[in-house]
C-alpha cells in the first residue's frame, strides 16, 4: 500500500511540474504572439507612412513637371522661335550665309 502512496505522491509532483511547464509555455506563446502582432502593426504603419510619402513625392514631381511644361510653352527657347519663324535661317546661319530679314 505504501508503494501506491509513493507512486501517487510521485505522480502528483510530476503533474505539478507538467502544469508549471505548461503555464510557462503558454505565457511564452502569448508574449511571442503579442510581439508578433506589435511587429506586424508597426510594419503596417511604416508601409502606410511610406505610401503617403511616395504619393506626396509623386504629386510634387507631377506638379513640377506640369509647371516646367507650362513654362516651356510660354517661353520657348530662342532657337525654337528662330526655326519656327524661318526654318532656313538656322541652316543658313550655320553656313555663314546672311539671311535678309
Amino acid at each position: 500500500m505504501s508503494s501506491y502512496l509513493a507512486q501517487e505522491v510521485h505522480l502528483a509532483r510530476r503533474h505539478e511540474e507538467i502544469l508549471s511547464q505548461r503555464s510557462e509555455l503558454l505565457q511564452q506563446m502569448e508574449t511571442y504572439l503579442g510581439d508578433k502582432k506589435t511587429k506586424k502593426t508597426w510594419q503596417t504603419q511604416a508601409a502606410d507612412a511610406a505610401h503617403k510619402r511616395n504619393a506626396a513625392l509623386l504629386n510634387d514631381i507631377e506638379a513640377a513637371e506640369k509647371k516646367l511644361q507650362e513654362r516651356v510653352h510660354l517661353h520657348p527657347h530662342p532657337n525654337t522661335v528662330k526655326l519656327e519663324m524661318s526654318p532656313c535661317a538656322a541652316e543658313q546661319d550655320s553656313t555663314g550665309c546672311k539671311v535678309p530679314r
Side-chain angles (χ1 to χ4, degrees), residues 16-30:
E16 289 298 321
E17 289 174 11
I18 290 171
L19 288 178
S20 176
Q21 288 176 347
R22 180 179 181 270
S23 176
E24 187 179 327
L25 288 173
L26 284 173
Q27 188 164 1
Q28 287 175 358
M29 200 161 102
E30 286 176 4

Side-chain angles (χ1 to χ4, degrees), residues 1 3 16 21 26 28-29 35 40-41 44-45 48 52 54-55 62 65 67 71-72 75 84 88-89 96 98-99:
M1 180 115 167
S3 68
E16 289 298 321
Q21 288 176 347
L26 284 173
Q28 287 175 358
M29 200 161 102
D35 291 347
K40 185 173 182 175
T41 301
T44 302
Q45 290 172 347
D48 288 344
K52 287 177 184 176
N54 289 346
E62 288 173 349
E65 181 183 21
K67 200 173 191 179
R71 194 190 305 165
V72 165
H75 304 290
E84 287 175 351
C88 300
K98 297 287 182 183
V99 178

